[in-house]
Amino acid sequence: MSLNKWNIGTLVLSCLPLLLGASCATVQPPSELLAARAEYQKASDSSTAKVNPAGLHEAKNSLDNANKSFEQDPKSEYTRDISYVALRKVQLAVAQAHIESANLEKAQAGLDKQKTTEVALAQSETRLSNSEEQRRQGAEQLSRSDQALQTSGQQLDAEKQARQNAERQAEEATANLTKIALVKQEQRGLVITLSGSILFTSGQSHLLANARPKLDEVALALQKAEGNNFIVEGYTDSVGSESRNQDLSTRRASTVRDYLVDRGVSSERIKAVGFGKSKPIAENSTAEGRANNRRVEIVIQRREPTS
Amino acid sequence: MRAAEEMGAAKVPEAALELKLAHDQTEQAKQLLKNGEKDRADLLLLRAQADAELALALAKEGPLVADAKNASDEVKALQQRNQQTKP
């Protein structure tokens, strides 16, 4: 900090009526003394007074000596020189205060840096922990998905095996049935048609003795068709009244149903329906056609596709 | 003066100026001593000493204040980054 910096302060302060002794009332103080006074005042009002009180006190002693010398010998070189020294002492006190403040700031920054680094480390550990937890949850989810997939695959295999078994059994049953009855695959399912003449006496609903072995074969086939529902449908020819034919076809269907249930077919899966002379499959004008129309059809219904 | 020079006063403009004043006044004092003006020489040496002490302090002050500011700025940047990356 050069003396030139103090020239403006010197000019301003030189106009002020300072508290000077009588001997210097008419003598202008040297610029060094004016600058020292101004600088001291400024330093006293700043943080220097708090940070470096000892340095400022030393500067004050130096300034007091300069003021005293000015009172005694205002124009002397000595007064000028010790005023210069006083100014430097004040400036030194300010610089030392700055050094002390900078040291404190630097030390505080070091502490803050350590604390901030610890916070950053803790945050990093938290993020790491969160990531680990997410990874663990992801792994668990993956494991559950794998297990579910495996179970699903096993179920699928079991269903596939069951379906193959059912198809094989149905094929076997169909093959056996073709020996005793007409077997057709229709939209509603597999239809086993038995002629009424081999099952019943004309106009009756009691089973003939020869009919039983045939129905035993049918019962065996139905038992193999596990999981399917069955309908026993009775039909007549057009001879006779509507009501009589309806009643006869219903009784015959029920008789067949009851026999099949006796032979082990689940009663919950089989029902009987009479259709009378409706739905003929041949002309009723000929004896052969009427014989074909007198029949019992056993429908093995298609299974509902599993979802 | 030697302490101020070793502290790097030449690199701090304000300290360098004080150091030059100290050198100049010391040279003047030597000349006065040669001329037998001991009292005046003593006063000049007193001024030179004050200048040298101030030069030393200024040589320390400049870099130290800059260091402290850098350290504070670094901490502020770290704190700001912590705030931004808070989980």
Side-chain angles (χ1 to χ4, degrees), chain B residues 30-44:
Chain B
K30 286 178 184 174
Q31 195 60 44
L32 287 169
L33 281 174
K34 284 181 185 174
N35 297 339
E37 296 180 59
K38 184 177 178 305
D39 290 345
R40 181 67 193 132
D42 285 345
L43 287 173
L44 277 176

Side-chain angles (χ1 to χ4, degrees), chain A residues 120-254:
Chain A
L121 189 63
Q123 288 180 351
S124 179
E125 284 172 354
T126 302
R127 281 195 296 274
L128 188 66
S129 174
N130 289 345
S131 297
E132 178 61 25
E133 177 62 16
Q134 286 175 349
R135 189 204 63 74
R136 193 186 61 73
Q137 288 178 358
E140 281 182 3
Q141 179 66 37
L142 192 64
S143 174
R144 283 196 294 271
S145 297
D146 281 347
Q147 201 169 356
L149 198 64
Q150 195 175 356
T151 304
S152 178
Q154 288 169 349
Q155 286 174 347
L156 204 62
D157 288 344
E159 284 177 10
K160 188 177 176 184
Q161 185 63 44
R163 185 181 296 276
Q164 286 174 346
N165 289 342
E167 286 172 355
R168 184 171 45 76
Q169 288 173 351
E171 284 171 6
E172 288 173 6
T174 302
N176 290 334
L177 286 173
T178 52
K179 297 171 186 170
I180 57 165
L182 178 64
V183 179
K184 290 185 296 182
Q185 186 68 51
E186 295 183 4
Q187 185 64 33
R188 52 184 176 156
L190 192 70
V191 180
I192 304 162
T193 304
L194 294 165
S195 171
S197 60
I198 64 166
L199 296 176
F200 304 103
T201 306
S202 178
Q204 299 297 314
S205 59
H206 300 294
L207 284 173
L208 292 169
N210 290 340
R212 295 175 189 275
K214 293 180 173 58
L215 288 177
D216 289 346
E217 284 290 326
V218 173
L220 199 61
L222 297 187
Q223 285 173 23
K224 288 180 180 176
E226 289 177 0
N228 292 74
N229 291 323
F230 316 111
I231 303 176
V232 179
E233 299 175 346
Y235 297 92
T236 64
D237 57 22
S238 62
V239 178
S241 69
E242 176 88 25
S243 61
R244 182 181 175 282
N245 284 330
Q246 177 64 42
D247 178 60
L248 181 61
S249 66
T250 300
R251 281 189 285 114
R252 284 181 169 179
S254 295

Side-chain angles (χ1 to χ4, degrees), chain A:
Chain A
M1 203 165 290
S2 73
L3 277 177
N4 293 338
K5 274 184 98 171
W6 302 105
N7 286 348
I8 295 174
T10 301
L11 287 172
V12 173
L13 291 171
S14 64
C15 300
L16 298 173
L18 300 171
L19 297 173
L20 301 173
S23 60
C24 57
T26 56
V27 179
Q28 193 72 359
S31 60
E32 291 86 346
L33 182 55
L34 291 173
R37 288 170 179 168
E39 184 71 0
Y40 176 78
Q41 189 59 48
K42 189 176 161 188
S44 298
D45 294 339
S46 74
S47 60
T48 300
K50 187 177 177 182
V51 177
N52 186 22
L56 199 58
H57 180 71
E58 190 179 340
K60 175 73 165 56
N61 288 340
S62 190
L63 181 59
D64 287 346
N65 288 336
N67 279 327
K68 194 180 291 180
S69 177
F70 175 66
E71 286 175 18
Q72 292 169 354
D73 191 0
K75 293 183 177 177
S76 70
E77 284 288 330
Y78 177 77
T79 297
R80 202 175 188 88
D81 288 336
I82 64 168
S83 294
Y84 181 95
V85 170
L87 174 60
R88 290 295 183 266
K89 292 285 185 188
V90 175
Q91 291 169 334
L92 179 63
V94 171
Q96 286 171 336
H98 289 168
I99 289 170
E100 181 64 17
S101 294
N103 276 328
L104 290 173
E105 184 182 353
K106 202 172 170 182
Q108 186 61 48
L111 292 173
D112 290 347
K113 185 178 178 180
Q114 184 179 354
K115 196 184 297 181
T116 306
T117 304
E118 286 170 1
V119 169
L121 189 63
Q123 288 180 351
S124 179
E125 284 172 354
T126 302
R127 281 195 296 274
L128 188 66
S129 174
N130 289 345
S131 297
E132 178 61 25
E133 177 62 16
Q134 286 175 349
R135 189 204 63 74
R136 193 186 61 73
Q137 288 178 358
E140 281 182 3
Q141 179 66 37
L142 192 64
S143 174
R144 283 196 294 271
S145 297
D146 281 347
Q147 201 169 356
L149 198 64
Q150 195 175 356
T151 304
S152 178
Q154 288 169 349
Q155 286 174 347
L156 204 62
D157 288 344
E159 284 177 10
K160 188 177 176 184
Q161 185 63 44
R163 185 181 296 276
Q164 286 174 346
N165 289 342
E167 286 172 355
R168 184 171 45 76
Q169 288 173 351
E171 284 171 6
E172 288 173 6
T174 302
N176 290 334
L177 286 173
T178 52
K179 297 171 186 170
I180 57 165
L182 178 64
V183 179
K184 290 185 296 182
Q185 186 68 51
E186 295 183 4
Q187 185 64 33
R188 52 184 176 156
L190 192 70
V191 180
I192 304 162
T193 304
L194 294 165
S195 171
S197 60
I198 64 166
L199 296 176
F200 304 103
T201 306
S202 178
Q204 299 297 314
S205 59
H206 300 294
L207 284 173
L208 292 169
N210 290 340
R212 295 175 189 275
K214 293 180 173 58
L215 288 177
D216 289 346
E217 284 290 326
V218 173
L220 199 61
L222 297 187
Q223 285 173 23
K224 288 180 180 176
E226 289 177 0
N228 292 74
N229 291 323
F230 316 111
I231 303 176
V232 179
E233 299 175 346
Y235 297 92
T236 64
D237 57 22
S238 62
V239 178
S241 69
E242 176 88 25
S243 61
R244 182 181 175 282
N245 284 330
Q246 177 64 42
D247 178 60
L248 181 61
S249 66
T250 300
R251 281 189 285 114
R252 284 181 169 179
S254 295
T255 298
V256 171
R257 177 194 174 277
D258 293 344
Y259 184 84
L260 292 173
V261 169
D262 281 346
R263 291 302 178 200
V265 176
S266 169
S267 61
E268 293 176 356
R269 308 182 75 84
I270 188 167
K271 62 182 180 180
V273 182
F275 287 99
K277 60 184 180 181
S278 64
K279 300 183 182 178
I281 57 174
E283 290 293 330
N284 279 305
S285 57
T286 65
E288 185 183 356
R290 287 193 293 276
N292 288 333
N293 285 336
R294 293 191 296 273
R295 68 195 189 278
V296 169
E297 291 181 356
I298 300 164
V299 182
I300 303 175
Q301 292 186 306
R302 290 180 183 282
R303 287 189 199 186
E304 291 297 322
T306 54
S307 57

